[in-house]
Amino acid sequence: MASGIVVSLQEEVMCPICLELLTEPLSLDCGHSFCQACITANNMVSMNDPDEDRRCPVCRISYEPGNLRPNRHVANIVQRLREVKLSPEVEQERHLCLRHGEKLMLFCEEDREVICWLCERSQEHHGHHTFLMEEVAQDYQKKLQEALEKLREKQLEAEELEVKVRADIAAWKDQIQRERENVKAVFQKLRKNLKYEEVKEMQKLKRKEEVGLRNLADSEHVLIQQSQLVRNLMSDVERRLKGSTMEMLQDVNDIMKRSETLTLKKPRTLPKGQRRTCSALDLTDIQQVYNGEECYLSGCLWNSCDGGKTGRRLQFLDVDRDSKAQILCI
């Protein structure tokens, strides 16, 4: 009963020109209401013929464009009707074309949508191949089933990639932690003048860790979104396959396009070459210098600088790309 009232109200607030629910309704002096865009277009047509009065498209009574007034009461009713959804039972019983009110019985192959017999004769579907829904139901059920199988495969692939990225994240954290501990252990053996370089190396590792984790986190986020998209598509397809023929074919073009164009984005991973660069500093030479054994770097032989007997001190200069410490005896 309530659904019947809603349908009746929808008919009362339909624009006589476009046969859709009124949008920004304007009322004439005669009492008829039209969409603002529709009645404005009607005015433009009348302006092309100065000798013809502007008349109401329904009752043909003359009107002045300046007397058009917004009908907020009707606009509020339309807004409420747009928010109302009929029960599934009523929708299933109706199966009516929203534009023409006729029963939906045909399927347009070009547009992949369910239409009524008036839609078939409209300019929009002129020359298109149309079939009874029952004639194409089995074929599209097969297509949707195939699409579902492909989506399941992509879902499995997405889950595997997601697991791989999470494993890479854990391995990357472990590797960085090991390198951090190694760097700390090495620098603890050095003198105070190495403190600055220790801090610098730790900062480099921190930035490297942040960049690597950020890339991996971005990949994980993308994979989670892809997984959710695939699950949503699967849910939509499964719902259609379990529902009626009408529900299966309604807007089937959209779900087919989304399924066919869905492509999983490969995650960004850390190149093996980049991982090999994350090695701890080789400070053996520095340790030997501090133990009074030798000094070969920067062209300085330990013997030529008196083996440190004159009290000359060592100054730490820099670490080159090969992670070799450069020492200068001064």
Side-chain angles (χ1 to χ4, degrees), residues 135-245:
E135 295 176 348
V136 298
Q138 185 175 2
D139 181 48
Y140 274 91
Q141 185 178 24
K142 181 180 179 181
K143 291 180 179 180
L144 287 173
Q145 188 64 45
E146 292 174 352
L148 179 60
E149 293 301 324
K150 292 181 180 179
L151 288 172
R152 286 173 175 165
E153 293 176 359
K154 291 181 179 181
Q155 170 65 15
L156 291 175
E157 182 181 356
E159 291 176 352
E160 292 175 356
L161 293 174
E162 186 176 340
V163 170
K164 183 180 182 302
V165 168
R166 289 176 178 172
D168 286 343
I169 291 175
W172 182 249
K173 288 182 178 180
D174 291 342
Q175 180 177 337
I176 292 296
Q177 182 61 27
R178 290 193 300 270
E179 293 179 6
R180 182 183 290 114
E181 294 172 354
N182 189 22
V183 168
K184 286 183 178 180
V186 171
F187 276 95
Q188 285 175 356
K189 300 178 182 179
L190 302 177
R191 297 291 188 263
K192 293 182 180 180
N193 58 342
L194 293 176
K195 187 64 178 178
Y196 171 77
E197 290 299 326
E198 178 185 6
V199 173
K200 187 172 68 173
E201 289 300 320
M202 295 301 294
Q203 291 175 343
K204 288 168 59 177
L205 279 176
K206 180 64 176 178
R207 289 193 296 270
K208 190 180 300 181
E209 178 186 26
E210 291 175 349
V211 171
L213 290 177
R214 183 165 56 251
N215 291 338
L216 291 171
D218 291 343
S219 297
E220 181 184 25
H221 179 69
V222 170
L223 289 172
I224 291 175
Q225 289 182 327
Q226 290 180 163
S227 297
Q228 185 61 44
L229 177 59
V230 173
R231 283 193 290 269
N232 292 342
L233 287 175
M234 289 176 58
S235 177
D236 197 358
V237 173
E238 290 173 343
R239 176 181 60 79
R240 291 170 178 272
L241 291 173
K242 293 178 181 179
S244 63
T245 300

Side-chain angles (χ1 to χ4, degrees), residues 3-22:
S3 299
I5 295 176
V6 172
V7 174
S8 299
L9 285 175
Q10 288 177 340
E11 295 174 354
E12 290 296 326
V13 292
M14 289 180 63
C15 175
I17 297 178
C18 66
L19 301 180
E20 302 286 350
L21 290 177
L22 288 164

Side-chain angles (χ1 to χ4, degrees), residues 313-329:
R313 59 188 177 88
L314 302 177
Q315 181 181 358
F316 189 86
L317 295 181
D318 199 357
V319 177
D320 62 13
R321 295 181 180 178
D322 295 329
S323 300
K324 293 293 185 180
Q326 297 181 5
I327 303 298
L328 177 63
C329 293

